[in-house]
Each structure stands twice: as structure tokens, then as C-alpha cells.
């Protein structure tokens, strides 16, 4: 069943997280299958809020994944192709289930409307939900041997989360959610009412600009850390080139913070990923 499960995981990822799917195209063979399975699992968990009407069924879905990783009900679990591919990957590459369980735990925040309190909390959330994926992808490229990626996974994970939430600010705020650090918003005099009503005040623009500066800083630190890694691990961090382009487009945009952020077409992203990977061999 494994081959069919990996194919299903690839299609699920292509539909559920297009950018991460494109990033797997620079990988090859079993490594690509394994990273794809990891990312498809993440796409499923990250999209739970979009698929449920209230937190209760979301909690049930997260618990299903927790039970799957803890070895409960494996017969039924293996009928889910993404879970089957993930469990095969965990076994083949010694992926620590506890790391994925912490990712699931962090994703519980998504089910509720509590604002992200401060920068430290946001960085912790990004670490568990994004940096973790980069770390595990590098471990897969290292054939299951534990790797030390230094600051690469940490900084890129935070930058990735910041850029993603800057770009989706209008959509997320329309859901009544504040995922970017509220402390930065409050320090600039931003109110929840103006966020939820879609009013682009000078205070809000200033707060988002400060977060953009933080994202730029994390990208720069990630870039330096990635350059110091062994070449065999660097393809796990190829998304940095797409994120850098997305941040630059965001900063040059003419529309306000609630508008849909500009983006490159898939072929442009594929070209960036391929060129970056070639340069970092």
C-alpha cells in the first residue's frame, strides 16, 4: 500500500499546501516521498480549522492524529493514505513521534479565537509548527540520522510563519483571529475593533511594518545559517528563496494590509527553487 499512499500524500499536499508541494520538487527518490508525507500530514493538521464548524470536532481530529502517532488503532489508521505514508516515514527515518505530537499540540491554538499574546509566544508557536518541519526534513535528507541545523530551522521557521501571516492578514482577521503578536499591535495603539472591521489605520500599518522588519531579520539569519550547513541538507531549506520573493512583493504592494497579497506564478517559484538548489549543491 505504501507506494499508493505516497502518491496520495503528494496529491493531498499539491492541493492543500501548494508552496510546500513545489518545494519537494527539488528533492529526489525516497527522500522526496518522505518529506512529502511529512508535509502532507502538516497540511492536514493545519487546515483542520477550515474544515470544522467549531473547536470540538477540531479537537477530535487532532486527537485522531495523536492516537495514530502513539500507536493506537493502527489497523484503521493505516487505511488513511496520508497516515500510512507518514508512519512508514517515521519508521524508515527514525522520526521522533514526540516532535510531531508537540506540533499537534501547538496547532490547538488554531481552533480558538484567542489572540497571539506576544512575540515570544509567536516564536514558540512558529518553532513547533514550522521550524520543526525544516528540522525533520533535514533529518530525512540525512537518512534518519539526527542533525544539528544550528539556527537555520529556527530562524527560517519564524520568518516563514511571519511572512505567511502578513500575507494572509486580511483573511485571518476576517475570521476574528489575531495570530501575529498582539503585543506589537497594542504597543502601536492598534485596537481589535479596527483589525476585525478591516480599517487600515496608520498604527496598524506601522505595527505590520515592524513585523515585516523582524521577518527580514530572521530571513537574513536563516540564510547565513543555511550556508554553513553540509550541502546534502540544504535542499530542505530551499523554500527560503520563495519566501524571500514573497516578502519583497508584500513590501512593494500598493494595496492595504487587508488585501490579498501578490504572489508569483508556480513556474516562477519552480525556477527559483531549481536555481537556488543548483547554487547550493
Amino acid at each position: 500500500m505504501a507506494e499508493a499512499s505516497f502518491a496520495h500524500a503528494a496529491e493531498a499536499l499539491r492541493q492543500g499546501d501548494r508552496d510546500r508541494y513545489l518545494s519537494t520538487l527539488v528533492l529526489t527518490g525516497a527522500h522526496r516521498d518522505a518529506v512529502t508525507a511529512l508535509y502532507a500530514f502538516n497540511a492536514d493538521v493545519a487546515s483542520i480549522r477550515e474544515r470544522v464548524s467549531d473547536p470540538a470536532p477540531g479537537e477530535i481530529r487532532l486527537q485522531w492524529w495523536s492516537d495514530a502517532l502513539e500507536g493506537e488503532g493502527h489497523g484503521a489508521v493505516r487505511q488513511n493514505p496520508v497516515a500510512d505514508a507518514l508512519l512508514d516515514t517515521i519508521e524508515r527515518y527514525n522520526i521522533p513521534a514526540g516532535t510531531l505530537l508537540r506540533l499537534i499540540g501547538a496547532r490547538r491554538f488554531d481552533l480558538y479565537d484567542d489572540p497571539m499574546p506576544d512575540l515570544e509566544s509567536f516564536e514558540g508557536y512558529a518553532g513547533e509548527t514550522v521550524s520543526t518541519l525544516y528540522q525533520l526534513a533535514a533529518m530525512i535528507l540525512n537518512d534518519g540520522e539526527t542533525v544539528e541545523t544550528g539556527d537555520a530551522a529556527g530562524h527560517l521557521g519564524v520568518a516563514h510563519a511571519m511572512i505567511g501571516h502578513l500575507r494572509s492578514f486580511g483573511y485571518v482577521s476576517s475570521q476574528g483571529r489575531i495570530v501575529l503578536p498582539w503585543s506589537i499591535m497594542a504597543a502601536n495603539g492598534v485596537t481589535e475593533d479596527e483589525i476585525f472591521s478591516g480599517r487600515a489605520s496608520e498604527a496598524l500599518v506601522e505595527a505590520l511594518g515592524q513585523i515585516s522588519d523582524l521577518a527580514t531579520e530572521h530571513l537574513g539569519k536563516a540564510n547565513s545559517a543555511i550556508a554553513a550547513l553540509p550541502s546534502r541538507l540544504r535542499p530542505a531549506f530551499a523554500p527560503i528563496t520563495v519566501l524571500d520573493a514573497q516578502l519583497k512583493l508584500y513590501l512593494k504592494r500598493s494595496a492595504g494590509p487587508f488585501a490579498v497579497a501578490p504572489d508569483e506564478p508556480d513556474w516562477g517559484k519552480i525556477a527559483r527553487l531549481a536555481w537556488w538548489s543548483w547554487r547550493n549543491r
Side-chain angles (χ1 to χ4, degrees):
M1 182 180 176
E3 185 175 344
S5 294
F6 281 110
H8 181 97
E11 179 59 22
L13 181 62
R14 187 182 72 82
Q15 294 185 19
D17 190 339
R18 189 78 172 184
D19 283 357
R20 279 198 175 92
Y21 170 76
L22 296 178
S23 76
T24 67
L25 300 182
V26 302
L27 307 178
T28 58
H31 288 161
R32 179 180 174 186
D33 286 344
V35 172
T36 296
L38 175 68
Y39 288 174
F41 152 74
N42 176 71
D44 184 276
V45 172
S47 67
I48 288 176
R49 181 184 171 111
E50 303 293 323
R51 310 198 312 266
V52 298
S53 56
D54 60 72
E59 291 277 8
I60 291 170
R61 182 62 180 174
L62 289 175
Q63 188 59 51
W64 185 91
W65 274 112
S66 295
D67 291 345
L69 292 172
E70 291 176 329
E72 299 182 23
H74 263 202
V77 167
R78 288 281 189 176
Q79 298 304 308
N80 179 307
V82 172
D84 184 52
L86 179 66
L87 292 173
D88 187 81
T89 296
I90 288 171
E91 294 165 4
R92 185 179 303 181
Y93 293 99
N94 304 312
I95 302 298
T99 302
L100 298 180
L101 288 169
R102 288 193 297 274
L103 183 154
I104 291 170
R107 282 293 180 187
R108 286 196 162 85
F109 170 82
D110 298 348
L111 302 179
Y112 301 91
D113 294 337
D114 298 327
M116 183 68 70
D118 49 40
L119 181 59
E120 183 179 7
S121 298
F122 182 88
E123 289 176 342
Y125 171 81
E128 297 289 8
T129 59
V130 190
S131 298
T132 285
L133 297 175
Y134 285 117
Q135 180 74 27
L136 295 179
M139 185 174 173
I140 289 169
L141 297 188
N142 205 40
D143 291 322
E145 295 294 325
T146 302
V147 294
E148 178 50 62
T149 61
D151 293 331
H155 284 300
L156 188 54
V158 174
H160 192 150
M162 282 183 171
I163 293 166
H165 281 288
L166 284 166
R167 296 181 71 248
S168 64
F169 184 75
Y171 176 72
V172 173
S173 60
S174 73
Q175 296 179 317
R177 302 179 67 211
I178 299 173
V179 180
L180 291 170
W182 173 246
S183 59
I184 295 177
M185 303 288 184
N188 282 277
V190 179
T191 66
E192 289 190 0
D193 180 65
E194 64 190 88
I195 291 176
F196 297 149
S197 62
R199 297 201 309 272
S201 67
E202 289 185 12
L204 177 59
V205 171
E206 176 63 24
L208 294 177
Q210 291 171 12
I211 295 170
S212 299
D213 290 343
L214 288 170
T216 300
E217 182 180 340
H218 280 291
L219 270 186
K221 291 179 178 178
N223 195 51
S224 298
I226 293 166
L229 293 175
S231 59
R232 68 182 181 280
L233 303 182
R234 291 179 201 152
F237 301 91
I240 191 172
T241 187
V242 172
L243 292 165
D244 181 64
Q246 288 177 330
L247 181 58
K248 287 175 179 174
L249 283 173
Y250 174 82
L251 294 173
K252 292 177 181 177
R253 74 199 186 287
S254 57
F258 295 97
V260 176
D263 203 1
E264 288 186 319
D266 284 356
W267 65 263
K269 294 177 182 178
I270 293 170
R272 283 186 182 279
L273 289 161
W275 174 244
W276 187 93
S277 298
W278 182 82
R279 291 184 60 199
N280 286 273
R281 288 186 299 183

